[in-house]
Amino acid sequence: MLLKIKTLQFTLILLLISPILGFSQQNSEMWRIEGPRVGIDLSRFLLPTYQPGIRHGWEIQGDIPYKGNFFPTVELGMQWFDDKQSSFHYMNNGAYGRIGVDVNITKFESLKDNDILFVGMRYGYSQFNQEVNQVTYSNYWGSVLTSYPQRAISAHWAEIVFGMKGEIASNLFIGWTLRAKFPLVQTNDPNITPYIIPGIGKTAGTTPADFSFTVSYRFPLFRTKKLPKPIKVGGTKHPNTENEQQQQSSPGGYQNQQGQGGYGR
């Protein structure tokens, strides 16, 4: 008899707390988490494998959401380059930075959907040193051995970027970026043209290109119940925007929306 009473009490307790737990879980699923994102470019560690000479460096990146689809971005890095050949020894090292903004061009499917496909622009600045030792060349008088002393050089450039970032776990993202770079202004060296500029790469060619592969973490500092609207192109509206707004304003709208996409990662 005592066992039956305890079983009945336990069952009643479960019945009472189940709606509370369900309501709490439902509320947590309604929130959209946002915050600054900081990451590291893993492709910088692969530089020695596809670049002649000894080239290595690092780069960190950060962005923060603004009005849902805009992501102001800052990127900072360092690079060292050392190339020793039979006729010269070239050394180059310095720091660089970029600022810009990425614009998400896809539609968020739900409050839990944080994947973006973006286009963007950057302004870049680099400050570095270069020098050449043991330069050997021939002229009318025979073989000549000389050196060019270290010289400080700065460079400015612009970039157009295209890429994506996807959430593979809670607040953890991986992404890639393609970069087309357009040199603007740089300090003139009367002796030699820089072979490599930190942040730009090789100077040979009219439009240097680059690739980034990043792993980043988002700090979940903000939460909202508002789903960002898709970017308007030419003043047109996304065909599903009005329907989604009606679903969100109606009872159970968030549940319907969440059931339609974004959770099956």
Side-chain angles (χ1 to χ4, degrees):
M1 182 67 179
L2 181 60
L3 179 61
K4 291 183 178 180
I5 293 175
K6 290 184 176 181
T7 302
L8 180 60
Q9 291 175 342
F10 181 73
T11 303
L12 291 174
I13 292 173
L14 286 179
L15 292 175
L16 289 173
I17 66 175
S18 293
I20 299 175
L21 293 176
F23 180 77
S24 176
Q25 183 177 7
Q26 180 180 353
N27 280 346
S28 65
E29 292 178 349
M30 289 182 182
W31 293 105
R32 175 177 178 82
I33 304 301
E34 294 182 342
R37 183 166 40 201
V38 178
I40 187 168
D41 182 1
L42 298 181
S43 68
R44 300 305 96 182
F45 300 106
L46 302 177
L47 291 176
T49 63
Y50 62 87
Q51 178 69 52
I54 302 174
R55 181 183 177 189
H56 54 94
W58 55 263
E59 180 178 312
I60 58 174
Q61 303 178 359
D63 65 31
I64 188 168
Y66 176 71
K67 293 188 176 180
N69 288 295
F70 297 89
F71 296 84
T73 301
V74 176
E75 301 164 343
L76 302 172
M78 292 282 295
Q79 181 179 287
W80 296 264
F81 182 74
D82 191 315
D83 189 10
K84 189 172 185 180
Q85 303 291 335
S86 59
S87 59
F88 68 88
H89 183 194
Y90 177 81
M91 291 173 286
N92 175 309
N93 64 84
Y96 62 91
R98 309 185 198 96
I99 58 172
V101 62
D102 295 329
V103 181
N104 177 43
I105 57 175
T106 59
K107 170 178 162 291
F108 291 113
E109 298 294 337
S110 72
L111 293 174
K112 295 294 184 180
D113 183 10
N114 294 291
D115 302 339
I116 65 172
L117 182 70
F118 62 85
V119 295
M121 298 188 68
R122 301 282 190 276
Y123 161 75
Y125 174 77
S126 178
Q127 182 74 46
F128 62 99
N129 298 314
Q130 71 171 8
E131 64 177 298
V132 184
N133 297 321
Q134 303 172 3
V135 180
T136 303
Y137 65 93
S138 299
N139 59 18
Y140 177 79
W141 304 105
S143 181
V144 178
L145 178 63
T146 186
S147 298
Y148 299 117
Q150 186 178 94
R151 183 177 178 85
I153 299 177
S154 62
H156 305 255
W157 72 95
E159 294 183 8
I160 296 177
V161 301
F162 171 77
M164 62 82 62
K165 290 179 181 178
E167 188 175 18
I168 59 173
S170 180
N171 297 309
L172 184 64
F173 293 77
I174 61 171
W176 54 263
T177 306
L178 296 175
R179 304 172 181 271
K181 306 184 179 187
F182 305 90
L184 300 175
V185 180
Q186 75 176 49
T187 305
N188 291 325
D189 188 325
N191 299 314
I192 55 173
T193 300
Y195 175 64
I196 279 182
I197 297 177
I200 295 182
K202 286 185 178 182
T203 57
T206 55
T207 307
D210 200 1
F211 175 83
S212 301
F213 179 77
T214 59
V215 175
S216 55
Y217 178 79
R218 179 185 62 193
F219 295 89
L221 301 183
F222 314 110
R223 60 180 187 173
T224 178
K225 293 184 178 181
K226 184 178 180 181
L227 186 66
K229 297 180 181 179
I231 296 293
K232 296 180 181 180
V233 179
T236 60
K237 291 185 177 180
H238 194 284
N240 295 328
T241 302
E242 295 183 358
N243 293 335
E244 289 179 353
Q245 292 176 348
Q246 293 177 0
Q247 289 177 356
Q248 293 181 16
S249 61
S250 63
Y254 284 107
Q255 294 179 355
N256 294 335
Q257 184 184 28
Q258 293 169 354
Q260 291 177 356
Y263 288 100
R265 290 197 181 91

